[in-house]
Amino acid sequence: MQLYSSLPLSLESLSVNHVFALALLVCSAIVVKLLVMRRRGIRSMEAFPGPPAHWLIGHVKEFRQDGHDLEKIMKWSGQYPFAFPLWFGPSLSILNIHHPSYVKTLLTTTEPKDDYAYKFFIPWLGDGLLVSTGQKWFRHRRLLTPGFHYDVLKPYVKLVSDSTKVMLDKWEVYGKSGESFELFKHVSLMTLDSIMKCAFSCNSNCQTDSGTNPYIQAVYDLCHLVNVRFRVFPYHSKAIFHLSPHGYKFRKAARIAHNHTAEVIRKRKEVLKIEEEQGIVKNKRYLDFLDILLSARDEHQQGLSDEDIRAEVDTFMFEGHDTTASGISWIFYNLACNPEHQEKCREEILQVLDGKDTVDWEDLNKIPYTTMCIKESLRLCPPVPGISRKLTKPLTFFDGRTVPEGCTIGVSIYGIHMNASVWENPYLFDPLRFLPENVAERSPHAFVPFSAGPRRRFKSGRGTGFSGDGCKAELSSQTLPYQALHAK
């Protein structure tokens, strides 16, 4: 008791000068730590010249979120071939690479995704495939791979076509009235509806429900807030972000997303329980993604925990609908800007449909010109403009320059796709770039809309990504019989 009673007296006896000195000491220690980290970062990037950076905020002010940030990246890419460093704050540096030869060196390794930018996704998406590393990533990847087998994906085409028809019925109303509408909103609802049907056997009715879909809005908010947190250096602190208005909004949106996911999993477990009790599981026409998640077992007969299942569902729900919606929306835009290519796609699709109102899985290989247009749109407007990796060991590029262990390397997918030394007239929409003979002359790492290498997205049985198949199926399902026009 004497010890505790004497504590207030000791605190009261501290003078203002002592408190000020203590605060100054703490601030000095923080500044010294940042300076040491900055010096270490400068040394690690000394082989790579780059644009001048402010000592405290780096290049943050250069990115104003005004629609011209990618143009600035391309300007610097022209000044600094292959790679240049970007600084976000006084100590965080990222080596931005934008040439296939450099990208090949990085993406053919198994280096993990960086533990800085991606960690801001964890409170939302959990430790799923997007952010997990090491043995956990390899184990989950192995357990989830059966969900992307040919036999599992094949029935999805009909389901995507059904969702597309719902969207087209809504567009028909707008077409008759002449009223304009936000395309991306409609496409996002359609892709969410598709992913709910395909991966979770759930009819969400999200396209026909009135009002703004709360999950879609939550995803918009979460993506924006993750970007804000990365750009605002003080928000890198968990405590500061948690206490900020942005942190409160992030937690609110994350709760909406998590509740949506939890409800999907709950309903699916109920259905599986009933099917198991009635002995009809093996008679199902196909297993969906969530079936595989819930039933997956490794070599030790261990499945995924409830937390792991939620993380993978959150990840797949977000990546499966958002990136596909972005890719499809930009495809519409690019075809509207290039009507001569749009007309060729329409003719090709109508010929393959041959009177049918729904495209089949086998038909997706019969639309080569449309496939080239999709790839060219993904080159011009990649849904994910960049990814990053954290080095666990030094990495040497083909020109002899080395990046030490611990550095973060950012792959500018947009920068690669617009690299004038790789693509002639890179800003021109030219689907013929993807003719087989032209593809054979380029590095396979010149076109990486969904990454590449061991940590790339899942491929389907035909070697294309799930999002790529989704784009094909959606565009082929009576969409292109309607003409997209570019609003001047």
Side-chain angles (χ1 to χ4, degrees):
M1 292 297 295
Q2 186 177 0
L3 175 63
Y4 287 102
S5 62
S6 66
L7 183 58
L9 180 63
S10 299
L11 292 174
E12 291 172 3
S13 65
L14 287 174
S15 68
V16 175
N17 289 336
H18 287 120
V19 174
F20 179 77
L22 181 61
L24 185 61
L25 181 63
V26 171
C27 291
S28 298
I30 293 174
V31 170
V32 169
K33 180 181 179 181
L34 290 175
L35 288 175
V36 170
M37 292 175 66
R38 179 169 178 80
R39 181 170 295 180
R40 187 183 302 139
I42 291 174
R43 282 203 303 268
S44 66
M45 298 291 175
E46 61 186 357
F48 301 91
H54 189 277
W55 71 273
L56 180 62
I57 62 174
H59 296 102
V60 170
K61 282 248 177 165
E62 298 287 344
F63 300 102
R64 302 180 181 180
Q65 303 287 287
D66 58 359
H68 298 285
D69 290 349
L70 291 176
E71 295 175 13
K72 186 150 292 185
I73 289 291
M74 294 312 302
K75 176 184 175 183
W76 290 335
S77 297
Q79 295 173 350
Y80 306 99
F82 300 106
F84 59 88
L86 289 173
W87 288 84
F88 296 92
S91 58
L92 176 59
S93 60
I94 298 176
L95 182 65
N96 184 80
I97 62 177
H98 51 89
H99 192 279
S101 298
Y102 264 48
V103 173
K104 177 183 178 180
T105 303
L106 177 67
L107 294 187
T108 51
T109 71
T110 57
E111 294 290 32
K113 295 179 179 180
D114 84 84
D115 56 1
Y116 211 96
Y118 285 96
K119 72 179 179 182
F120 299 145
F121 284 97
I122 292 178
W124 166 24
L125 299 178
D127 198 17
L129 280 176
L130 179 66
V131 296
S132 60
T133 59
Q135 289 304 310
K136 182 173 185 178
W137 182 88
F138 283 106
R139 177 175 181 265
H140 284 211
R141 174 87 178 196
R142 187 171 66 253
L143 290 176
L144 268 59
T145 296
F148 297 85
H149 189 271
Y150 169 93
D151 291 330
V152 174
L153 297 180
K154 188 175 180 179
Y156 291 177
V157 175
K158 173 65 167 58
L159 299 176
V160 171
S161 297
D162 292 342
S163 295
T164 304
K165 289 176 183 177
V166 175
M167 181 180 71
L168 293 177
D169 289 341
K170 295 165 66 177
W171 287 9
E172 187 74 23
V173 176
Y174 286 106
K176 290 178 179 178
S177 66
E179 181 184 355
S180 62
F181 61 93
E182 171 54 51
L183 180 79
F184 183 69
K185 175 183 176 182
H186 285 253
V187 176
S188 292
L189 287 171
M190 184 275 296
T191 55
L192 178 61
D193 189 29
S194 297
I195 207 74
M196 293 289 285
K197 290 177 180 176
C198 295
F200 309 112
S201 298
C202 176
N203 291 311
S204 65
N205 299 318
C206 63
Q207 294 196 79
T208 53
D209 289 343
S210 60
T212 301
N213 182 276
Y215 176 76
I216 294 283
Q217 186 59 51
V219 169
Y220 293 163
D221 292 341
L222 288 165
C223 289
H224 170 69
L225 291 167
V226 167
N227 184 43
V228 168
R229 187 177 182 188
F230 180 78
R231 286 164 43 81
V232 179
F233 178 67
Y235 280 177
H236 292 187
S237 164
K238 288 183 179 179
I240 293 176
F241 184 70
H242 183 86
L243 295 172
S244 70
H246 286 113
Y248 171 78
K249 190 175 182 181
F250 181 92
R251 293 193 299 277
K252 182 179 178 181
R255 278 196 300 272
I256 294 173
H258 291 162
N259 289 340
H260 177 84
T261 300
E263 183 66 8
V264 169
I265 295 174
R266 183 190 66 78
K267 289 182 177 179
R268 195 75 199 104
K269 282 185 173 181
E270 288 181 357
V271 171
L272 285 176
K273 183 179 180 181
I274 294 172
E275 290 177 340
E276 186 174 4
E277 290 173 351
Q278 297 178 357
I280 61 174
V281 174
K282 294 184 178 180
N283 295 327
K284 286 186 65 178
R285 183 163 55 88
Y286 64 90
L287 293 175
D288 62 27
F289 178 75
L290 189 50
D291 287 332
I292 292 170
L293 273 179
L294 293 170
S295 61
R297 296 292 183 272
D298 60 18
E299 62 273 16
H300 304 295
Q301 294 304 305
Q302 296 295 313
L304 297 171
S305 67
D306 289 345
E307 183 180 353
D308 288 337
I309 291 171
R310 197 203 75 177
E312 298 302 351
V313 171
D314 274 325
T315 299
F316 193 72
M317 190 94 67
F318 161 58
E319 291 200 304
H321 99 269
D322 187 73
T323 54
T324 306
S326 176
I328 290 171
S329 298
W330 280 114
I331 291 167
F332 280 135
Y333 173 80
N334 284 309
L335 290 179
C337 293
N338 298 274
E340 69 279 11
H341 296 296
Q342 180 182 177
E343 186 58 32
K344 290 182 180 180
C345 291
R346 292 179 66 216
E347 292 174 357
E348 181 180 64
I349 291 172
L350 289 172
Q351 182 177 0
V352 168
L353 287 173
D354 192 25
K356 298 183 297 183
D357 62 357
T358 302
V359 68
D360 297 322
W361 171 268
E362 291 76 14
D363 294 333
L364 299 184
N365 278 333
K366 301 175 184 178
I367 49 173
Y369 197 84
T370 302
T371 301
M372 290 192 295
C373 286
I374 291 173
K375 289 182 177 180
E376 178 66 349
S377 183
L378 291 173
R379 182 190 70 83
L380 286 168
C381 310
V384 181
I387 57 176
S388 55
R389 297 286 186 266
K390 178 73 171 287
L391 297 185
T392 59
K393 53 184 175 292
L395 185 71
T396 301
F397 295 106
F398 77 97
D399 57 3
R401 292 191 287 184
T402 299
V403 187
E405 173 188 349
C407 286
T408 299
I409 300 182
V411 178
S412 176
I413 293 176
Y414 183 79
I416 299 165
H417 290 182
M418 293 296 174
N419 193 318
S421 67
V422 179
W423 304 91
E424 185 178 354
N425 297 323
Y427 293 93
L428 177 68
F429 185 86
D430 181 11
L432 299 184
R433 302 177 196 273
F434 291 94
L435 285 170
E437 57 269 29
N438 293 333
V439 171
E441 295 177 355
R442 287 192 303 269
S443 164
H445 291 85
F447 178 65
V448 286
F450 302 114
S451 188
R455 292 188 66 98
R456 69 159 290 167
R457 291 184 175 213
F458 287 103
K459 291 182 180 181
S460 68
R462 298 196 330 274
T464 56
F466 178 82
S467 295
D469 286 335
C471 291
K472 281 188 185 182
E474 196 280 336
L475 285 174
S476 302
S477 299
Q478 288 193 330
T479 299
L480 287 175
Y482 296 89
Q483 186 178 14
L485 300 176
H486 181 223
K488 300 295 185 180

